[in-house]
């Protein structure tokens, strides 16, 4: 048995367990950046993590001279930095892992010089990161008093909401936040909630007296009919891939935007007309006026491109410069040259339009765009008081008498409205739970 544990291959195999432990530490680091945490049982979590961490220390000390264990011992403390900052106060979870990191950094099989250098670097990382985080949260995150007055989940379970009253120097506000209810990561000890997913669907300033929430389920086609009855000019923003799926090409979505008054007049438009002009709508003379050509296949290109434009697009002399093949930096340069030098007035810009009219989409196309057949609709009833008398009771507190209650009812304003439709949330991609972006907003949660 002794020879088995002394065997180098046994140590190499066992060192894989240190990789597993480090993987979950890195996983916790990832979760701390993109998720908030809600711990259900702190004592059980602390005891469980302490036991796992103790086992990890024993395994890593046994295999401390293996290269995998050495690498892991250098990773644990840097990986825990975001956890310490963003989950600050959850010491039952943080301390066992940090202790493992410290012990293994000091007792790893690396040379003293390497350990000293790494320990110094990690210590400085913690000091400067903590200082920066403290300054950011102290000076750049507004300090307001919030009170959650109601919360709940939609009938389908896809969404949850909360109503928050905020006290500030401007008479406060009432806001309703809606977020997906399906993006949480749950385990026995904690729930991780994805950050920055809340969407404000209603806000009132000053704050209102009370809000009643009602959820309904509505069909996609019924909502489409409703919106189309309001206006035939409602636009939906779609991606390049969705445009292609809908049968549009790059060229028939090209537009002229930011037109100067003189360019608008040349197209027979008024100076107050602000809508973009589709290049497909222009005749040959108008295209020539803007320096744009059109080939037999309906593709648009730059007529007589300058040498600098060719250079920025990496085009060869004599090569046709199609807008659909133009590099972003070349298109930006092309637009920057359509300016009147003395005044700085922009003549026009060429841009691809990513909107389509809602009334041009069939029900099947809406389904392809990700709109579910039916879903949750939130409506609210808002109660506001415009005035009313209140009498003080014997304790000095104000109370409504029977006469005052009747008067207050007369002074109450009731407003009803729909504030959230799954239809709009899915079309506008409110809740992209798959994509992760680093931003300073992640530090606010």
């Amino acid at each position: 048995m002794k020879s088995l544990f002394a065997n180098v291959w046994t140590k190499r195999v066992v060192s894989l367990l240190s990789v597993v432990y480090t993987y979950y530490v890195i996983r916790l680091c990832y979760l701390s950046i993109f998720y908030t945490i809600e711990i259900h049982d702190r004592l059980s979590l602390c005891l469980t993590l302490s036991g796992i961490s103790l086992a990890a220390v024993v395994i890593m000390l046994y295999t401390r001279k293996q290269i995998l264990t050495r690498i892991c011992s250098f990773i644990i403390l840097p990986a825990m930095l975001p956890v310490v900052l963003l989950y600050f106060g959850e010491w039952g979870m943080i301390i066992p892992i940090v202790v493992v990191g410290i012990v293994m950094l000091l007792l790893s099989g690396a040379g003293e010089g390497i350990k000293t250098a790494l320990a110094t670097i990690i210590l400085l990382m913690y000091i400067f990161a903590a200082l920066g985080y403290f300054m950011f949260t102290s000076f750049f995150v507004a300090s307001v008093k919030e009170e959650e007055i109601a919360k709940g989940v939609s009938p389908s379970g896809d969404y949850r909401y909360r109503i928050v009253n905020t006290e500030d120097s401007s008479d406060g506000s009432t806001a309703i936040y809606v977020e997906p209810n399906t993006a949480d990561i749950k385990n026995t000890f904690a729930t991780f909630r994805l950050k920055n997913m809340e969407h404000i669907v209603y806000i009132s300033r000053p704050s209102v007296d009370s809000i009643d929430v009602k959820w309904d389920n509505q069909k996609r086609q019924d909502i489409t009919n409703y919106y189309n009855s309001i206006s035939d000019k409602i636009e939906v923003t779609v991606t390049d891939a969705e445009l292609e799926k809908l049968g549009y090409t790059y060229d028939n979505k090209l537009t002229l935007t930011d037109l100067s008054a003189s360019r608008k007049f040349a197209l027979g438009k008024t100076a107050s007309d602000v809508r973009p002009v589709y290049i497909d709508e222009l005749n040959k003379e108008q295209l020539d006026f803007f320096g744009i050509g059109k080939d037999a296949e309906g593709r648009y290109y730059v007529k007589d491109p300058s040498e600098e434009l060719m250079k920025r697009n990496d085009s060869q002399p004599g090569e046709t410069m199609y807008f659909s093949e133009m590099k972003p930096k070349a298109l930006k340069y092309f637009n920057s040259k359509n300016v009147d030098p003395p005044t700085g007035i922009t003549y026009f810009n060429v841009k691809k339009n990513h909107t389509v009219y809602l009334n041009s989409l069939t029900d099947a196309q809406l389904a392809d765009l990700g709109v579910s057949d039916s879903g949750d609709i939130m409506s609210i009833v808002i109660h506001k008081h415009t005035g009313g008398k209140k009498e003080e009771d014997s304790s000095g507190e104000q109370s409504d008498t029977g006469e005052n209650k009747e008067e207050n009812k007369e002074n109450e304003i009731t407003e009803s409205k729909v504030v959230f439709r799954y239809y709009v949330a899915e079309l506008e991609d409110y809740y992209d739970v798959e994509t992760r972006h680093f931003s300073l907003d992640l530090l606010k949660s």
Side-chain angles (χ1 to χ4, degrees):
M1 184 65 70
K2 183 178 180 181
S3 61
L4 175 65
F5 284 107
N7 188 289
V8 67
W9 283 104
T10 302
K11 293 182 179 181
R12 288 173 181 173
V13 172
V14 174
S15 69
L16 294 175
L17 295 177
S18 64
V19 176
V20 174
Y21 182 81
T22 306
Y23 165 79
Y24 282 103
V25 173
I26 295 172
R27 173 70 173 169
L28 181 60
C29 172
Y30 167 82
L31 291 174
S32 70
I33 294 171
F34 295 105
Y35 292 78
T36 58
I37 189 172
E38 179 183 320
I39 297 178
H40 310 313
D41 189 340
R42 285 180 168 79
L43 179 59
S44 297
L45 177 62
C46 180
L47 292 175
T48 302
L49 271 179
S50 298
I52 294 173
S53 297
L54 179 60
V57 167
V58 172
I59 290 170
M60 295 177 81
L61 286 175
Y62 168 64
T63 62
R64 65 184 182 276
K65 293 185 178 180
Q66 304 305 310
I67 186 64
L68 287 178
T69 302
R70 289 183 185 180
I71 294 172
C72 291
S73 66
F74 299 149
I75 291 176
I76 292 174
L77 284 177
M80 283 298 292
L81 177 56
V83 182
V84 172
L85 294 179
L86 298 173
Y87 289 167
F88 191 82
E90 303 294 350
W91 302 118
M93 177 182 66
I94 294 172
I95 290 177
I97 304 174
V98 170
V99 168
V100 172
I102 294 173
V103 170
M104 291 315 305
L105 180 64
L106 296 177
L107 300 181
S108 67
E112 293 302 319
I114 295 176
K115 289 191 290 187
T116 302
L118 285 173
T120 303
I121 293 171
I122 292 171
L123 180 61
L124 290 174
M125 284 173 56
Y126 271 77
I127 292 173
F128 287 114
L131 181 61
Y133 181 72
F134 171 77
M135 293 181 63
F136 176 81
T137 54
S138 298
F139 298 108
F140 297 103
V141 178
S143 178
V144 295
K145 183 179 179 181
E146 292 186 347
E147 178 188 4
E148 187 178 275
I149 60 175
K151 63 180 180 180
V153 179
S154 68
S156 69
D158 291 338
Y159 305 99
R160 59 174 174 255
Y161 74 93
R162 64 188 185 106
I163 305 175
V164 177
N165 275 348
T166 301
E167 293 182 15
D168 53 31
S169 57
S170 303
D171 297 326
S173 65
T174 299
I176 300 177
Y177 299 86
V178 177
E179 65 178 339
N181 194 44
T182 55
D184 298 342
I185 298 175
K186 300 179 181 179
N187 58 43
T188 306
F189 305 109
T191 297
F192 297 90
R193 305 187 188 282
L194 192 59
K195 294 180 181 179
N196 298 337
M197 282 290 106
E198 286 189 324
H199 194 89
I200 298 178
V201 299
Y202 171 82
I203 187 165
S204 171
R205 185 175 293 278
S207 58
V208 300
D209 297 294
S210 65
I211 296 178
D212 299 325
V213 174
K214 179 183 177 183
W215 286 96
D216 292 306
N217 187 278
Q218 201 165 348
K219 295 286 186 180
R220 177 181 61 229
Q221 187 62 64
D222 293 336
I223 301 175
T224 303
N225 293 339
Y226 169 74
Y227 279 128
N228 286 335
S229 69
I230 296 175
S231 171
D232 60 355
K233 299 296 184 184
I234 296 176
E235 293 181 331
V236 177
T237 302
V238 293
T239 63
D240 286 330
E242 289 169 339
L243 279 174
E244 186 175 348
K245 186 184 295 185
L246 292 171
Y248 293 95
T249 66
Y250 184 98
D251 294 279
N252 59 29
K253 293 301 290 182
L254 280 177
T255 61
L256 300 178
T257 63
D258 304 319
L259 289 160
S260 66
S262 62
R263 275 20 181 205
K264 291 177 184 178
F265 296 151
L267 294 174
K269 298 183 178 296
T270 63
S272 60
D273 196 332
V274 296
R275 294 188 64 82
V277 176
Y278 282 94
I279 295 181
D280 255 3
E281 300 173 357
L282 306 182
N283 57 37
K284 186 178 183 306
E285 289 74 19
Q286 291 170 329
L287 288 173
D288 290 340
F289 179 74
F290 287 98
I292 299 173
K294 182 179 182 180
D295 68 9
E297 297 178 356
R299 300 176 66 193
Y300 296 102
Y301 58 90
V302 180
K303 298 182 70 175
D304 303 321
S306 65
E307 290 185 8
E308 180 62 24
L309 182 60
M310 296 285 287
K311 179 180 177 182
R312 289 174 182 259
N313 200 51
D314 297 329
S315 299
Q316 300 299 320
E319 183 180 350
T320 303
M321 187 180 296
Y322 291 101
F323 282 102
S324 59
E325 299 172 354
M326 192 180 294
K327 295 184 177 180
K329 62 181 180 180
L331 182 59
K332 182 178 180 180
Y333 177 79
F334 174 80
N335 286 330
S336 70
K337 290 301 176 181
N338 297 316
V339 175
D340 180 34
T343 63
I345 296 174
T346 299
Y347 291 139
F348 69 94
N349 281 328
V350 175
K351 293 181 182 178
K352 184 179 180 180
N353 188 287
H354 284 86
T355 63
V356 295
Y357 286 124
L358 178 61
N359 64 359
S360 70
L361 300 174
T362 65
D363 193 57
Q365 287 174 326
L366 286 169
D368 286 340
L369 292 178
V371 183
S372 304
D373 179 62
S374 63
D376 298 313
I377 308 295
M378 175 195 274
S379 57
I380 60 173
V381 178
I382 308 154
H383 304 282
K384 296 181 181 179
H385 288 288
T386 59
K389 299 178 181 179
K390 288 192 176 181
E391 292 186 354
E392 291 188 356
D393 59 21
S394 58
S395 64
E397 296 182 354
Q398 291 183 331
S399 62
D400 286 331
T401 64
E403 181 181 341
N404 289 336
K405 285 181 179 178
E406 292 299 321
E407 184 176 342
N408 285 338
K409 282 185 178 180
E410 293 178 1
N411 291 319
E412 183 179 271
I413 298 175
T414 301
E415 180 184 358
S416 179
K417 61 170 65 177
V418 174
V419 295
F420 175 82
R421 288 184 172 92
Y422 83 98
Y423 183 101
V424 178
E426 292 180 353
L427 268 183
E428 297 297 324
D429 203 14
Y430 284 175
Y431 306 119
D432 180 5
V433 298
E434 302 298 329
T435 306
R436 302 287 184 267
H437 297 293
F438 287 103
S439 71
L440 291 177
D441 289 337
L442 295 171
L443 300 179
K444 298 178 183 178
S445 300

